[in-house]
């Protein structure tokens, strides 16, 4: 087979559904993006519609495959945020809101309504908590399920027959297969292969009804990411997506893990990086968007306090995964910049120059630094504590809030630029905090591999390198999450005998500038 055959990767992020047509060499031919609605019916409640999400995925796939024949597409893979989808016995949406709109049936990953339930689960000190850093996060599924049972029992819990992680909903919608991905079940639901579900955990937290019919509501069967599901695309799904029935569909991944898969195995020959000629356990993947995930793999199980995992084969077959993270990164930067009094001035100046507002801010900081001194030093008297949406890792404290120290009465564009810089620096120091926690428990990480929307911001990337003192590597294929999703389809197509990590070229390397 040559260049004429392709794979489709579908990525459902927080605010959009994207698709890419990818060659068998891992090169992206075309991409497209469709916006997604987000509702916030109450503070800390964030919900979406699985119906809309599927429709947007179908529109995106039809668009990227418009220029090729259906039989040229050999496989498709899906990744998505770890949001919770609720369906009834007829696979129809069930509302997760008090208002009862049935189309609003997805509890988003960043929904923090279940903080009290998460704390109660943590207080059980159950053995499964050792695999999530000792603390149950409200961003995982057990506390969200418990919240639904305790607060929407009649309107939601009693009607629900299927609870899906969003990546598994997409693969079910495509194939009709109820098989879940090991990635989602292990990382967000406390599933632990080879034993599987721990009955005592669900009983201890008050969710014993999920044991019915061999856990049919949350998944009786699990498969490694990239495993072929069902008979491929059903006739209905094929029609929706504009592809052939039977096209191979791989078991899905969480979106961050698809990005990790897309970058962590990059070919680094000739770049004189410390990870060259070393196993991929010397690398950490950072997937930076609305939030950031810090993914590292190891040959043995490493338990890192405040960091999720270890999860066996959740991203790379045969290796244990640890997952640190920051709940608000891109969203925090947007929040800080857009809420500043000088934001309208920034918008106006950026528009006049035909620039993105962050490109303009980066240029503005360079001009403020003058005399060639690093822009980093400009933030020496302004400090941000970045946990505006709680701390995911390594403190694992969702109750924490953000803080800014060093504000004055000024609200000029210079002040906005400095606050923007201080926020980026705070996020980079958060990465350092996570790295230090991982190293203390046995990880030997020497190089950071980065992808996602924030990896396109040169200042964000440089400050991460400065703070960690490590090379930060960017891939040639910048849309690594989409490549990772396409790898799932390629693996399912059986054209490749094993899941091989994408061998992407390096685009650039940024290292520490400040001594």
């Amino acid at each position: 087979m040559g260049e004429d055959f392709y794979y489709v990767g579908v990525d459902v992020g927080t605010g959009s559904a994207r698709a890419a047509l990818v060659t068998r060499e891992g090169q992206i031919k075309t991409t497209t993006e469709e916006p997604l609605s987000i509702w916030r019916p109450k503070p800390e409640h964030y919900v979406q519609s699985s119906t809309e999400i599927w429709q947007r995925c179908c529109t995106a796939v039809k668009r990227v495959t418009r220029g090729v024949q259906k039989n040229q597409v050999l496989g498709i893979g899906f990744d998505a945020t770890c949001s919770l989808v609720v369906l009834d016995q007829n696979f129809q949406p069930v509302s997760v809101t008090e208002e009862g709109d049935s189309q609003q049936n997805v509890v988003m990953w960043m929904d923090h309504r279940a903080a009290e339930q998460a704390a109660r689960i943590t207080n059980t000190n159950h053995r499964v908590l050792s695999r999530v850093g000792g603390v149950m996060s409200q961003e995982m599924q057990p506390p969200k399920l418990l919240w639904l049972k305790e607060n929407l029992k009649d309107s939601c819990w009693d009607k629900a027959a299927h609870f899906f992680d969003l990546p598994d909903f997409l693969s079910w919608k495509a194939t009709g297969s109820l098989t879940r991905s090991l990635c989602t079940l292990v990382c967000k639901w406390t599933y632990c292969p080879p034993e599987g579900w721990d009955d005592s955990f669900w009983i201890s937290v008050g969710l014993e009804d999920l044991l019915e019919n061999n856990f049919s509501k949350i998944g009786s069967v699990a498969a490694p990411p990239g495993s072929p599901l069902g008979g491929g695309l059903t006739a209905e799904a094929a029609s929706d997506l504009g592809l052939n029935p039977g096209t191979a569909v791989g078991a899905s991944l969480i979106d961050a893990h698809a990005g990790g898969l897309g970058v962590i195995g990059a070919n680094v020959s000739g770049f004189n990086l410390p990870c060259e000629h070393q196993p991929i356990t010397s690398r950490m993947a950072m997937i930076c968007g609305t939030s950031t995930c810090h993914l590292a793999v190891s040959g043995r199980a490493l338990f890192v306090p405040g960091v999720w995992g270890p999860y066996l084969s959740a991203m790379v077959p045969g290796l244990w995964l640890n997952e640190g993270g920051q709940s608000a990164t891109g969203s925090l930067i947007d929040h800080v910049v857009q809420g500043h009094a000088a934001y309208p001035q920034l918008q106006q100046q950026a528009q006049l120059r035909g620039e993105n507002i962050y490109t303009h801010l980066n240029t503005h900081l360079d001009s403020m630094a003058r005399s060639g001194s690093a822009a980093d030093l400009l933030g020496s008297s302004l400090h941000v504590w970045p946990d505006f949406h709680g701390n995911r890792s390594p403190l694992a404290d969702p109750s924490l809030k953000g803080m800014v120290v060093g504000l004055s009465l000024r609200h000029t564009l210079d002040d906005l630029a400095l606050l923007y810089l201080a926020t980026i620096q705070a996020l980079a120091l958060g990465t350092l905090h996570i790295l230090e926690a991982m190293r203390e428990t046995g990880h030997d990480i020497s190089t950071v591999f980065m992808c996602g929307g924030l990896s396109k911001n040169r200042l964000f990337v440089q400050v991460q390198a400065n703070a960690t003192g490590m090379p930060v590597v960017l891939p040639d294929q910048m849309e690594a999450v989409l490549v990772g999703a396409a790898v799932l389809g390629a693996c399912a197509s059986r054209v490749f005998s094993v899941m091989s990590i994408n061998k992407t070229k390096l685009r650039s390397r940024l290292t520490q500038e400040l001594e």
Side-chain angles (χ1 to χ4, degrees):
M1 294 183 185
E3 280 288 322
D4 292 333
F5 293 92
Y6 303 95
Y7 302 94
V8 173
V10 179
D11 164 50
V12 177
T14 300
S16 67
R18 303 186 302 153
L21 188 67
V22 182
T23 70
R24 67 192 305 273
E25 286 75 29
Q27 300 296 308
I28 292 178
K29 184 175 181 181
T30 56
T31 65
T32 192
E33 185 170 7
E34 293 288 321
L36 296 174
S37 302
I38 299 174
W39 293 276
R40 190 180 180 186
K42 296 175 67 175
E44 303 294 350
H45 290 224
Y46 296 87
V47 298
Q48 289 181 312
S49 163
S50 66
T51 301
E52 181 193 66
I53 289 169
W54 178 250
Q55 290 171 345
R56 297 291 188 268
C57 289
C58 293
T59 300
V61 171
K62 285 180 176 177
R63 188 165 293 156
V64 296
T65 57
R66 190 174 292 160
V68 300
Q69 299 298 312
K70 293 180 181 180
N71 60 6
Q72 291 179 273
V73 179
L74 301 183
I76 183 170
F78 297 90
D79 75 71
T81 62
C82 47
S83 299
L84 177 66
V85 181
V86 186
L87 304 179
D88 66 17
Q89 61 183 358
N90 298 314
F91 296 96
Q92 296 303 303
V94 177
S95 178
V96 295
T97 68
E98 294 176 357
E99 292 74 20
D101 184 338
S102 64
Q103 289 306 307
Q104 296 179 16
N105 70 314
V106 179
V107 183
M108 292 186 67
W109 67 269
M110 62 184 183
D111 187 302
H112 280 191
R113 71 180 72 179
E116 193 264 334
Q117 286 76 14
R120 270 192 278 139
I121 293 173
T122 296
N123 289 337
T124 67
N125 293 315
H126 195 278
R127 57 178 173 263
V128 302
L129 297 175
S130 67
R131 298 190 294 271
V132 293
V135 178
M136 175 57 66
S137 169
Q138 58 198 352
E139 293 179 5
M140 291 187 173
Q141 308 304 7
K144 292 176 179 176
L145 292 167
L146 187 56
W147 189 95
L148 292 175
K149 181 177 180 178
E150 293 179 345
N151 293 275
L152 298 177
K153 189 174 189 304
D154 294 336
S155 63
C156 177
W157 186 258
D158 290 345
K159 294 179 180 178
H162 303 279
F163 297 101
F164 288 99
D165 220 275
L166 183 54
D168 292 320
F169 165 80
L170 295 172
S171 60
W172 163 77
K173 193 73 175 171
T175 66
S177 171
L178 292 172
T179 297
R180 276 30 174 216
S181 169
L182 276 177
C183 177
T184 57
L185 291 195
V186 171
C187 294
K188 305 301 175 185
W189 296 73
T190 74
Y191 188 88
C192 184
E195 297 85 1
W197 297 114
D198 188 324
D199 295 15
S200 67
F201 168 71
W202 298 101
I203 294 169
S204 71
V205 301
L207 291 172
E208 61 282 345
D209 27 355
L210 294 178
L211 275 63
E212 295 174 6
N213 300 316
N214 190 28
F215 292 92
S216 63
K217 289 185 177 181
I218 59 175
S220 302
V221 181
S227 301
L229 296 179
L233 290 179
T234 63
E236 181 181 359
S239 176
D240 290 345
L241 293 162
L243 299 174
N244 280 334
T247 300
V249 180
S252 55
L253 280 169
I254 298 166
D255 55 349
H257 301 66
L261 185 66
V263 298
I264 203 166
N267 181 0
V268 299
S269 299
F271 285 86
N272 196 32
L273 288 166
C275 65
E276 189 172 359
H277 308 305
Q278 298 297 318
I280 63 171
T281 53
S282 64
R283 308 176 181 196
M284 183 177 77
M286 277 185 66
I287 296 80
C288 315
T290 303
S291 62
T292 293
C293 289
H294 304 74
L295 305 174
V297 293
S298 57
R300 59 188 177 92
L302 298 175
F303 294 84
V304 186
V307 171
W308 298 341
Y311 304 134
L312 181 61
S313 298
M315 184 174 74
V316 180
L319 294 179
W320 295 88
L321 172 69
N322 283 111
E323 178 184 349
Q326 295 164 302
S327 294
T329 48
S331 60
L332 176 61
I333 295 169
D334 289 343
H335 173 78
V336 167
V337 170
Q338 294 172 10
H340 196 277
Y343 180 61
Q345 181 186 356
L346 170 65
Q347 284 183 300
Q348 184 180 32
Q349 289 192 11
Q351 187 173 12
L352 286 173
R353 290 168 174 77
E355 292 179 327
N356 173 281
I357 59 170
Y358 294 114
T359 300
H360 187 69
L361 276 174
N362 294 345
T363 302
H364 190 80
L365 284 166
D366 288 340
S367 67
M368 289 175 66
R370 295 188 293 272
S371 73
S373 61
D376 280 37
L377 300 177
L378 294 171
S380 58
S381 61
L382 186 62
H383 308 285
V384 173
W385 182 262
D387 295 330
F388 285 50
H389 201 49
N391 183 286
R392 186 187 296 171
S393 304
L395 301 179
D397 186 348
S399 69
L400 289 178
K401 304 299 180 186
M403 179 170 60
V404 183
V405 177
L407 290 172
S408 71
L409 291 175
R410 297 188 304 271
H411 47 75
T412 65
L413 185 57
D414 283 1
D415 296 297
L416 168 54
L418 292 176
L419 184 58
Y420 162 70
L421 172 62
T423 302
I424 286 179
Q425 291 173 330
L427 292 170
L429 291 171
T431 293
L432 178 61
H433 196 185
I434 292 167
L435 268 169
E436 289 173 341
M438 288 184 170
R439 282 171 159 172
E440 286 173 5
T441 51
H443 280 281
D444 184 20
I445 298 165
S446 63
T447 310
V448 175
F449 289 71
M450 187 181 293
C451 66
L454 284 177
S455 69
K456 300 170 187 176
N457 182 326
R458 66 170 177 81
L459 180 66
F460 180 87
V461 176
Q462 185 65 64
V463 172
Q464 291 282 332
N466 293 351
T468 62
M470 290 186 185
V472 174
V473 176
L474 302 179
D476 178 61
Q477 296 294 305
M478 289 298 289
E479 301 295 352
V481 177
L482 286 165
V483 173
V487 167
L488 301 173
C491 187
S493 74
R494 299 301 177 99
V495 172
F496 298 89
S497 59
V498 295
M499 181 186 290
S500 59
I501 307 302
N502 175 46
K503 295 180 179 177
T504 185
K505 298 177 182 178
L506 302 184
R507 184 175 68 87
S508 63
R509 175 165 65 97
L510 296 95
T511 54
Q512 186 175 23
E513 283 187 351
L514 299 179
E515 297 297 326

